[in-house]
Every structure is written in C-alpha cells, then in structure tokens.
Amino acid sequence: MPRTTLSAPRSFARLSLVAVAISASLGLNPVSAQRTPAGSLSAAPGAALAAALPDLPESPVADEAAGNLRAAAPNTAEAQLARGCRDNLLQNGDVSTFTMGGSTNFPPSVVPGWSPSVHSPQVGPTPGFGGARGWLLAWGYGQGGESFQQNVNLPAGTYRLTLATRQHNASTNPTPARYRVAFRNGATPNPWGTPGAATLDSAPMTNANWATQTYTFTTTTATNAMQVNTFNANSTSAVRGRPDRVSWMAYDSFCLQAVKPEARRRGMTWVVREVRNGAVNVGNHAGTNPYVGDTPETAILPMLCIRQTGLPVPAGIVPDFYHGWSGGEVRLTTPVTGSVLTSPAIANGICAAQFGTGWRMGEFHDGNGGHTYWAQLGHPALLEAFRAKTKFWAAINDQPANVWNSVP
C-alpha cells in the first residue's frame, strides 16, 4: 500500500467554558480528576496481559471508513473548540499529522508525538472531532488491551487536560466503555492496574458521537509520560477468546495546559503586640508589608476597627513616633474574607455595622506616626488575639497595600 501523509493543522482555543458547554449539551458532565487507589482496577502480570487476548486487527477503522458508522457533523461549538489549543504541552495533540503505512496500526503507521505502550493502537485517517482528519483508537477490557503514550516534561504543578472521545462501534461492542489517562514517570505495561502520579479515570461512556471532557489536576512530583488506555468491566476470563467483549474508544484533540496561579490582591495585616494597663499596642509583625500587602485576599481574618474620641494617654504609656497614642479605642470584627474589602467605604461600613457610629477601619498612621500605636483596649477579643498571635486586616492610606488598591 502506498504511504500517504495527511496534515490538517487545527488550533484549539477557549477550552474551559466551551468544553463545559459542549459536554453539558451532550449530556456528559466533565468528570472531576481523581486519583485511583492502587488495586481499584485488578492488576494482572505482564505475561498474563499479553496472553489474555491477542492484539486485535484494525477492522473497526476500516468499517467506519466504509460508512458503517457515521460521525455526526460537528456543531459550531465543537468546531470552535477544535481550532486550536494555546500553549499545548503535547505534540500533535489534535492528531492532524500522521503517515499511513500498510495498516492503520501504529506501527507501521506513524503518528508524530505518539507511540504505542501496549500492543498496537490505531490511527484513523477519516474525519475526527471538529471535522479534520486524524484520531486515535484503542481497545480494552478490565485488565488489558491497547495503550498509547506521549512523552512529556511536567514539573510538579496544576494542569488542565481537555480531550474529545467517543465509544467506537458501540452498537456491536460492550457499552459503557471507559478510559484512563495517567501521568507517570515512565509508561507501564499494565496501565489498567497501575495508577500514576495523577490518574484521570472517565465516567462510563456511551456516546457514539464525539464529546469533550475536561480535567484539572495537580501533581506533587515531576512526570515524563502521559499514558492512555481503554477499559470496561469485563475481566480476563470474560474476554478470553471473545474479542466481541472488549470495548473500543476513539480519541482526538488532546489539549494539555499548565494552570497558572490566579493573580490575587493582597492586604496588610497587623497583630496585637502588647497589652498593658488597659491599653493595647497594635502594629506590624515579622511578615507585615506596608508597601504591597502581605496576605492574599482569600484569607479570612478579623479586621481592626477604631473610634477616636480624644482619650488621654494612660499612665505608664510613653508615646513616640513608632509607638504613638491614637486617642481612641480599638476592637476586632468577626473574621471577614479579604476580597470583600473592595474600598475604604466598605471596610469602614463593616466596622460601623458591628460596633456603631464613629467606628472605622484602623489605619497605619492613627498614632500620628507609623508601624504601631497604642489605643484603649475595647474588647476581650483583643486579649485572645494577643495570646493566639492572630493576624488581622489593617489599612494604610498612602500605599497600595490594601486589598482594594494592591496590584495583583
């Protein structure tokens, strides 16, 4: 058979929302990433895997090429999803580049970026997800089948994987089928029984048309291989000599992206530094940053509030620039999420709502100096905060170190 090279580049943009929309429209909710505990799929020795069922021919691909199964035309959302994957960490993720050999098996066919792990998966030269030619195919059962892989170089971190799948020849092969995508250090001859550093097991799949699934997962160690395999609920004994009891799954449009930490605003925090003679000294701690903020807006902390009424300096307190006297009383609110502090007015309103008229958020310069100041102890919660070294939100009026004006 002459060798033919097909190349139909596709791009793949705006995955997160589109993928969810497509999956929902097809009745397939994206499956949450999960780590499968060791032994959840029965492990079989490598020799038993190879003997359990011989490698199957690529006839399902040929059947589809003859028109026995017709994939539905992609809708607008599918076409948009298939156009590209920005910053894809996988090579040839959409399987748009391949060279057909004397068989749809690879090898002898060649799919750049992809290689077989167990037996010989197939490459489909017909239109796949989104309408462009090229997709992958592998059969499997509970303890064996075909598997393919791609070498990766992933540091520990958080990633998002989107792929398109459909159950192949669902009318004649067992349904539902499932698949596993595992990120490992080196591929294994038994991916059915061997979880990876991150293991993504699909829900039972019954869709004969393409549908997308999206997973967000975190690895705590570096990995160098992404391995994919098909499986179903049938055991070795159920499929020995019965190829009609294995399931076939088609795969296309793999998009693997690093998830960048979301930029968050930060706010300045203080602590109770000292309590003496009914007065309390509030101010900076070792991690306080009055210039850009020191604590992410996601933190849930009390907030410093003050009411300045011109109180006299208590006996035993000697104010200075860094330990000024505020002339007021301070209290702590119940804990609030930093992200609600969107403006000084909002912050002051929280103080007024909890303590009454004249109360506002405590500010860096309320002692007529900076960094710390003394005030009258207004509530026993301050004593507990002192004992527990509790941090709390405090404001600064001349630096971008508040949640409402810090730079993400």
Side-chain angles (χ1 to χ4, degrees), residues 12-35:
F12 207 89
R14 292 197 172 99
L15 288 176
S16 302
L17 296 178
V18 178
V20 172
I22 295 172
S23 298
S25 69
L26 295 172
L28 292 170
N29 293 325
V31 184
S32 298
Q34 59 184 350
R35 181 169 299 204

Short mmCIF file of all heavy atoms in Angstrom, two decimals, residues 12-35:
data_model
loop_
_atom_site.label_atom_id
_atom_site.label_comp_id
_atom_site.label_asym_id
_atom_site.label_seq_id
_atom_site.Cartn_x
_atom_site.Cartn_y
_atom_site.Cartn_z
N PHE A 12 -6.94 25.39 18.80
CA PHE A 12 -7.76 24.86 19.89
C PHE A 12 -7.87 25.92 20.98
O PHE A 12 -6.97 26.04 21.76
CB PHE A 12 -7.04 23.63 20.41
CG PHE A 12 -7.85 22.60 21.04
CD1 PHE A 12 -8.39 21.59 20.28
CD2 PHE A 12 -8.05 22.59 22.39
CE1 PHE A 12 -9.08 20.58 20.88
CE2 PHE A 12 -8.74 21.60 22.99
CZ PHE A 12 -9.26 20.59 22.23
N ALA A 13 -8.85 26.84 20.94
CA ALA A 13 -8.86 27.97 21.86
C ALA A 13 -10.07 27.98 22.77
O ALA A 13 -11.08 27.38 22.47
CB ALA A 13 -8.83 29.28 21.07
N ARG A 14 -9.96 28.69 23.85
CA ARG A 14 -11.02 28.91 24.83
C ARG A 14 -11.64 27.60 25.27
O ARG A 14 -12.78 27.31 25.00
CB ARG A 14 -12.12 29.79 24.25
CG ARG A 14 -11.63 31.22 24.02
CD ARG A 14 -12.80 32.15 23.84
NE ARG A 14 -12.34 33.51 23.80
CZ ARG A 14 -12.16 34.17 22.69
NH1 ARG A 14 -12.39 33.61 21.56
NH2 ARG A 14 -11.73 35.41 22.73
N LEU A 15 -10.84 26.83 25.97
CA LEU A 15 -11.28 25.50 26.34
C LEU A 15 -12.29 25.47 27.47
O LEU A 15 -13.29 24.79 27.39
CB LEU A 15 -10.07 24.67 26.77
CG LEU A 15 -9.20 24.29 25.59
CD1 LEU A 15 -7.98 23.56 26.08
CD2 LEU A 15 -9.97 23.41 24.64
N SER A 16 -12.00 26.16 28.58
CA SER A 16 -12.68 25.87 29.82
C SER A 16 -14.20 25.97 29.67
O SER A 16 -14.91 25.02 29.94
CB SER A 16 -12.20 26.81 30.92
OG SER A 16 -10.82 26.69 31.08
N LEU A 17 -14.69 27.14 29.22
CA LEU A 17 -16.12 27.34 29.17
C LEU A 17 -16.74 26.57 28.02
O LEU A 17 -17.82 26.00 28.16
CB LEU A 17 -16.44 28.84 29.04
CG LEU A 17 -16.00 29.68 30.26
CD1 LEU A 17 -16.30 31.15 30.00
CD2 LEU A 17 -16.71 29.21 31.51
N VAL A 18 -16.08 26.54 26.88
CA VAL A 18 -16.64 25.85 25.73
C VAL A 18 -16.74 24.38 26.00
O VAL A 18 -17.73 23.73 25.68
CB VAL A 18 -15.78 26.11 24.48
CG1 VAL A 18 -16.33 25.35 23.30
CG2 VAL A 18 -15.74 27.59 24.18
N ALA A 19 -15.69 23.79 26.61
CA ALA A 19 -15.70 22.36 26.88
C ALA A 19 -16.85 22.00 27.78
O ALA A 19 -17.53 21.01 27.58
CB ALA A 19 -14.37 21.92 27.50
N VAL A 20 -17.08 22.80 28.81
CA VAL A 20 -18.18 22.52 29.71
C VAL A 20 -19.49 22.62 28.97
O VAL A 20 -20.39 21.80 29.14
CB VAL A 20 -18.15 23.48 30.91
CG1 VAL A 20 -19.40 23.33 31.75
CG2 VAL A 20 -16.91 23.21 31.75
N ALA A 21 -19.62 23.64 28.10
CA ALA A 21 -20.87 23.82 27.35
C ALA A 21 -21.13 22.65 26.44
O ALA A 21 -22.25 22.16 26.34
CB ALA A 21 -20.81 25.12 26.54
N ILE A 22 -20.11 22.17 25.74
CA ILE A 22 -20.30 21.04 24.83
C ILE A 22 -20.70 19.81 25.61
O ILE A 22 -21.64 19.10 25.27
CB ILE A 22 -19.02 20.78 24.02
CG1 ILE A 22 -18.73 21.96 23.11
CG2 ILE A 22 -19.15 19.52 23.20
CD1 ILE A 22 -17.40 21.87 22.43
N SER A 23 -19.97 19.52 26.67
CA SER A 23 -20.25 18.33 27.44
C SER A 23 -21.67 18.38 27.99
O SER A 23 -22.37 17.38 27.99
CB SER A 23 -19.25 18.19 28.59
OG SER A 23 -17.94 18.05 28.08
N ALA A 24 -22.07 19.55 28.46
CA ALA A 24 -23.40 19.66 29.01
C ALA A 24 -24.45 19.46 27.92
O ALA A 24 -25.48 18.81 28.14
CB ALA A 24 -23.60 21.02 29.69
N SER A 25 -24.20 19.98 26.72
CA SER A 25 -25.17 19.86 25.65
C SER A 25 -25.34 18.43 25.20
O SER A 25 -26.38 18.04 24.69
CB SER A 25 -24.76 20.74 24.46
OG SER A 25 -23.61 20.22 23.85
N LEU A 26 -24.31 17.62 25.42
CA LEU A 26 -24.37 16.22 25.04
C LEU A 26 -24.77 15.33 26.21
O LEU A 26 -24.78 14.12 26.09
CB LEU A 26 -23.02 15.75 24.49
CG LEU A 26 -22.59 16.44 23.19
CD1 LEU A 26 -21.16 16.04 22.87
CD2 LEU A 26 -23.53 16.05 22.07
N GLY A 27 -25.07 15.94 27.33
CA GLY A 27 -25.44 15.15 28.48
C GLY A 27 -24.28 14.48 29.17
O GLY A 27 -24.44 13.50 29.90
N LEU A 28 -23.08 14.97 28.96
CA LEU A 28 -21.89 14.39 29.57
C LEU A 28 -21.21 15.44 30.42
O LEU A 28 -20.57 16.33 29.90
CB LEU A 28 -20.92 13.87 28.50
CG LEU A 28 -21.42 12.67 27.71
CD1 LEU A 28 -20.48 12.44 26.56
CD2 LEU A 28 -21.47 11.45 28.59
N ASN A 29 -21.40 15.37 31.70
CA ASN A 29 -20.73 16.33 32.56
C ASN A 29 -19.25 16.06 32.61
O ASN A 29 -18.84 14.91 32.73
CB ASN A 29 -21.30 16.25 33.97
CG ASN A 29 -22.75 16.71 34.02
OD1 ASN A 29 -23.11 17.62 33.28
ND2 ASN A 29 -23.56 16.08 34.84
N PRO A 30 -18.40 17.08 32.51
CA PRO A 30 -16.96 16.85 32.64
C PRO A 30 -16.67 16.17 33.96
O PRO A 30 -17.24 16.50 34.99
CB PRO A 30 -16.36 18.26 32.58
CG PRO A 30 -17.39 19.08 31.89
CD PRO A 30 -18.71 18.48 32.27
N VAL A 31 -15.80 15.19 33.93
CA VAL A 31 -15.52 14.38 35.11
C VAL A 31 -14.41 15.02 35.91
O VAL A 31 -13.40 15.43 35.36
CB VAL A 31 -15.12 12.96 34.67
CG1 VAL A 31 -14.92 12.07 35.90
CG2 VAL A 31 -16.18 12.37 33.75
N SER A 32 -14.57 15.10 37.21
CA SER A 32 -13.52 15.63 38.05
C SER A 32 -12.33 14.69 38.07
O SER A 32 -12.49 13.48 38.03
CB SER A 32 -14.04 15.82 39.48
OG SER A 32 -15.09 16.75 39.48
N ALA A 33 -11.14 15.28 38.09
CA ALA A 33 -9.94 14.47 38.19
C ALA A 33 -9.96 13.73 39.51
O ALA A 33 -10.33 14.28 40.52
CB ALA A 33 -8.70 15.34 38.08
N GLN A 34 -9.56 12.50 39.48
CA GLN A 34 -9.49 11.73 40.71
C GLN A 34 -8.26 10.85 40.68
O GLN A 34 -7.83 10.40 39.64
CB GLN A 34 -10.73 10.87 40.90
CG GLN A 34 -10.98 9.88 39.75
CD GLN A 34 -12.28 9.12 39.93
OE1 GLN A 34 -12.88 9.20 40.98
NE2 GLN A 34 -12.69 8.39 38.94
N ARG A 35 -7.71 10.62 41.86
CA ARG A 35 -6.59 9.68 41.98
C ARG A 35 -7.18 8.33 42.33
O ARG A 35 -7.86 8.18 43.32
CB ARG A 35 -5.61 10.13 43.05
CG ARG A 35 -4.45 9.20 43.19
CD ARG A 35 -3.38 9.79 44.04
NE ARG A 35 -2.88 11.01 43.43
CZ ARG A 35 -1.67 11.49 43.67
NH1 ARG A 35 -0.85 10.89 44.47
NH2 ARG A 35 -1.29 12.61 43.10
#
